[in-house]
Amino acid sequence: MSFGPFLLLALLEGTVMAAVLALTAVGLNLVFGVMRVVNVAHGEFFMLGAVCAWFVTWYLPIPPALAWVAALVIAPLVVGAVAAIADVTVLKRLKYDPEATIVATIGLLYIFQQAALTFYGPDARPVEPPFHLRLQFPWFGYSGYKLFVVVAAGVILLGVWLLMTRTRAGLVMRATQIDRDTAQNFGINVDRVYAGTFALGAALAAAAAVLIVPIQQAHYLMGHDPLLLSFIVVIIGGLGSLRGTLVAALAIGLSDGVISMFFSPTLAKIIATLLVALVLVFRPQGLFGAKT
């Protein structure tokens, strides 16, 4: 193949990565934007979503397509419930102190990781995709499921935007984000908002994992890269800015796809890290973040 088809393939792979990364990073940024909590355990919620998807598709005695759909519903609900319990039992008791919550979420990271190792095991296990479709381009064939991942992630992100901008729940979350004390004085149950926000962020990471796990495999250590890349996206886009998160995820995903195709995945990660350093030096609030 000439350069053009290779570039097209790299852009397709980068788009798939950007879609999943945007879904994961939006969950992380949502938690920080509303709660001001840096959730270091966010990658493990991603991992728990993939592991839960494997359990659902493996043990439900239904066709693979229906099992995957069930996993897309069940895994985010289960992981969101786990996150809500973690918020109520750990973060709330720490009064959401920034330094304490970082340490606490690091502890949660290892707890979830070891729990997955105990009950799931050390092996990487595949999840059957809901359908097998190969699209034939003039130069190569490409997985139709990967393109479906992009569409599905876009639909979920649209749902998050509608939730935040068109519903009372989103209005309450944004009010709490702007001024917690004033929101509480107006009768908003801030603790319930925080628990719901933490659960929603974890559920988005779990949904991203269910989408990607038929392409990759479920493994108890798979949360590291999503966590690192999500932090990179959030820092570049701007803490608390969902629009910045989407733009940064698209930029990082496409650049990673192209650089990994023509050079190496390691170089792609190095360049992304350098971008973070430049943003922190010249625009600490991120490209779309507001100055405080």
Side-chain angles (χ1 to χ4, degrees):
M1 289 193 300
S2 60
F3 175 77
F6 276 114
L7 179 61
L8 175 60
L9 179 60
L11 291 175
L12 287 172
E13 291 294 313
T15 303
V16 175
M17 176 182 176
V20 176
L21 182 56
L23 199 54
T24 309
V26 162
L28 180 66
N29 210 354
L30 192 64
V31 169
F32 178 83
V34 176
M35 304 172 61
R36 293 297 185 265
V37 168
V38 179
N39 181 18
V40 184
H42 193 67
E44 303 317 304
F45 290 131
F46 182 94
M47 177 273 295
L48 289 177
V51 170
C52 185
W54 181 86
F55 275 109
V56 171
T57 56
W58 182 259
Y59 286 105
L60 277 184
I62 56 179
L66 294 178
W68 182 87
V69 172
L72 187 59
V73 175
I74 294 173
L77 291 177
V78 170
V79 175
V82 171
I85 293 171
D87 173 79
V88 172
T89 58
V90 179
L91 303 184
K92 179 181 176 182
R93 294 177 181 273
L94 296 174
K95 299 181 180 179
Y96 303 100
D97 177 75
E99 290 82 6
T101 52
I102 290 176
V103 176
T105 53
I106 291 174
L108 290 173
L109 182 156
Y110 288 108
I111 290 172
F112 295 147
Q113 194 177 97
Q114 293 305 308
L117 176 62
T118 300
F119 296 104
Y120 175 76
D123 299 327
R125 303 176 188 177
V127 170
E128 186 74 12
F131 59 88
H132 296 275
L133 174 65
R134 193 163 185 83
L135 302 178
Q136 190 60 45
F137 292 94
W139 314 277
F140 54 82
Y142 196 73
S143 169
Y145 176 75
K146 289 185 177 181
L147 297 180
F148 168 77
V149 167
V150 176
V151 175
V155 170
I156 296 173
L157 289 170
L158 177 61
V160 174
W161 178 79
L162 291 174
L163 171 69
M164 295 299 296
T165 60
R166 297 291 188 271
T167 67
R168 184 180 183 277
L171 177 64
V172 168
M173 291 169 67
R174 287 184 284 122
T176 306
Q177 173 184 355
I178 294 171
D179 193 328
R180 168 180 173 161
D181 294 333
T182 302
Q184 199 164 21
N185 291 335
F186 274 91
I188 294 176
N189 189 329
V190 173
D191 291 336
R192 184 178 299 174
V193 173
Y194 279 9
T197 301
F198 201 66
L200 177 59
L204 290 174
V210 177
L211 290 176
I212 201 65
V213 74
I215 302 172
Q216 301 178 356
Q217 293 183 333
H219 189 263
Y220 82 103
L221 292 177
M222 70 183 298
H224 292 168
D225 281 351
L227 176 65
L228 173 62
L229 290 173
S230 293
F231 271 119
I232 288 174
V233 166
V234 169
I235 292 172
I236 292 176
L239 291 170
S241 171
L242 297 184
R243 180 183 62 172
T245 300
L246 297 178
V247 173
L250 184 62
I252 294 297
L254 291 178
S255 63
D256 187 274
V258 173
I259 295 171
S260 298
M261 173 67 70
F262 294 103
F263 298 98
S264 73
T266 302
L267 179 61
K269 301 298 186 296
I270 292 174
I271 292 177
T273 306
L274 288 176
L275 285 176
V276 170
L278 290 174
V279 168
L280 289 175
V281 170
F282 295 104
R283 191 174 173 84
Q285 73 271 25
L287 299 180
F288 294 88
K291 290 184 178 181
T292 58

